[in-house]
Every structure is written in C-alpha cells, then in structure tokens.
Amino acid sequence: MGSLSSFIEQLDWVGILMLLAGAAVSLVCITVHELSHGLIAYRLGDPTARINGRLTLNPLAHIDPVGLLMMLTVRVGWAKPVPVDLRNFQRPKRDMALTALAGPASNFLLAMLALGIGSLLFHFVPDGKVMAYGLFFCCYTAVLSVGLGLFNLLPVPPLDGSKILFSLLPDRVYGKILRYERYFILAVVLLAWTGLFSGPLSWCMERVLWGLCQITRFPFFVVEYYFF
C-alpha cells in the first residue's frame, strides 16, 4: 500500500487533468466541425453523410486518430472527412465549397460562444475555483476551435481550404485533384509535426481570438495567460 500511495502522490495530476480536458474539448470541436459539414451538404441535396451515420453528435463517428493526436499536441488537427457525393449537388463546385466552409465557420462560432460564456463568468461570478476552471475550459475550447478552423482553411488537400480554392478551377482539373486528395494527408502531417505551420498559425490564432474577445467583451489577457 505504501508503494501505491507514493506512486499516486507522484502523479502529475495537473497534467492528467489538462490531457483529459484537452481530449474532451477536442471531441467537442471535431464533432461540431464535421456535423456542420454534413448538415450543409444534406441541406444542399446530398444525403451521403446521413446515410453513413455522420449527422450525429456522437464524437466516435467523427474521430481521426492522427488528427485528434495533433489537436492534443500542437492544438491544430482534423477529423475523419464527411463523405460527400458531388453528383447530388445542383451546382457541384459551389455547393462543395459551401460544405467545406461550414466546418471552419462553425468552429469560429463555437469559439465565440465559449468566449461569450467565459465573459459572463468573468464579469458576474465571484473569484474562486469555479470561475478559474470555467474560464480555463472556455479558453481551451476557444483556442482549439479557432486552431481547428484556421488549420482546415489551409489550401492543402484534403483540408477544407483546398476544396474552397479548387472550386474556382476548371471542372477537369477539379475532379482530378479530388481523386488524389487522400494522398496529400501524409504531407500535411509531416508539415504540422515539423512546426512549419506553428508560427503563422499561432499569429493568426491570436488575431482571431483577439477579435472574438472584442466582440464578446472577454479579456484577451486571460487567453494569453493560459495559452500564449
């Protein structure tokens, strides 16, 4: 029993709680992102996401293990792509671009909601553990959600930004790129791990979070204190 007690006392409980909080927040951000893709595609005439069980709040349906690991380690990542059949769209390239844009847009809205709740906590809840934990969770949600949204706006296949950009290309070129986009994911993983994206993305994340803080009247220095 003594050895077990000593082991428990030496555990980094703060680190463990941070990891669990990061996992929970990541699952929320990923679920909102992918569900938004599926809902917009469905509204535009493509039932593929619904048929494949992706119009759900169950995060297990949306997890990509590598993308989730990236979110937990470098605060940017991705989820399992929602299946889309361009043949069901009336205007395929435009509707694909709108479907792709829905994911990042939902993340920015989620971040604004989290900061709005955090603003209420900051201004109306007395100082204490409840407010501290609440502010941390709201900030964590906002940071990961903005990171997920911005990362997926990069014009690199298979990220959402590529689908938005490629919708401007001729049909023949557009179709060919879509067929091979899955092979680009290895390059995306390597570039993210090398930190090539970290500088520009961190700068963009700070600017977006600062703007959202201005809208919600959440003190940006709290976000800086926790994450920058």
Side-chain angles (χ1 to χ4, degrees):
M1 290 295 295
S3 299
L4 178 60
S5 300
S6 177
F7 173 74
I8 293 174
E9 290 175 358
Q10 292 176 11
L11 285 175
D12 181 8
W13 290 108
V14 174
I16 293 173
L17 289 174
M18 285 278 289
L19 181 62
L20 292 176
V25 170
S26 296
L27 292 177
V28 171
C29 296
I30 285 171
T31 300
V32 169
H33 183 102
E34 295 303 320
L35 179 59
S36 298
H37 283 316
L39 285 173
I40 294 301
Y42 184 68
R43 292 293 299 271
L44 292 172
D46 178 28
T48 308
R50 180 181 63 80
I51 293 171
N52 284 271
R54 298 299 299 276
L55 296 187
T56 175
L57 289 171
N58 180 2
L60 297 179
H62 306 296
I63 291 176
D64 178 286
V66 177
L68 179 61
L69 178 63
M70 296 296 292
M71 287 194 69
L72 291 174
T73 54
V74 296
R75 299 209 296 265
V76 295
W78 57 87
K80 184 167 64 176
V82 165
V84 175
D85 190 340
L86 292 172
R87 295 172 295 182
N88 293 320
F89 291 142
Q90 291 185 352
R91 299 178 62 182
K93 290 200 295 185
R94 184 208 66 174
D95 293 347
M96 187 67 229
L98 291 174
T99 299
L101 183 61
S106 70
N107 286 129
F108 299 140
L109 290 174
L110 176 61
M112 186 162 65
L113 175 63
L115 292 174
I117 295 173
S119 181
L120 293 175
L121 291 174
F122 183 83
H123 290 101
F124 298 108
V125 175
D127 289 343
K129 288 185 177 181
V130 172
M131 187 184 79
Y133 288 133
L135 289 181
F136 174 77
F137 190 81
C138 289
C139 288
Y140 211 163
T141 301
V143 169
L144 287 187
S145 199
V146 167
L148 179 64
L150 287 175
F151 185 74
N152 278 274
L153 282 176
L154 291 172
V156 180
L159 301 179
D160 298 326
S162 67
K163 297 179 176 64
I164 298 170
L165 177 63
F166 295 160
S167 67
L168 304 175
L169 299 176
D171 291 344
R172 180 174 57 83
V173 178
Y174 180 73
K176 186 175 295 186
I177 290 174
L178 285 182
R179 283 198 298 270
Y180 293 103
E181 69 174 4
R182 70 186 67 180
Y183 301 108
F184 286 89
I185 192 65
L186 291 176
V188 172
V189 172
L190 290 175
L191 290 173
W193 273 113
T194 57
L196 183 64
F197 295 144
S198 60
L201 274 176
S202 292
W203 185 88
C204 290
M205 286 172 64
E206 287 191 60
R207 302 286 78 75
V208 172
L209 287 165
W210 182 87
L212 293 178
C213 285
Q214 301 307 301
I215 295 172
T216 59
R217 301 190 67 184
F218 185 84
F220 181 62
F221 73 82
V222 177
V223 181
E224 288 185 303
Y225 174 78
Y226 281 127
F227 296 103
F228 293 105

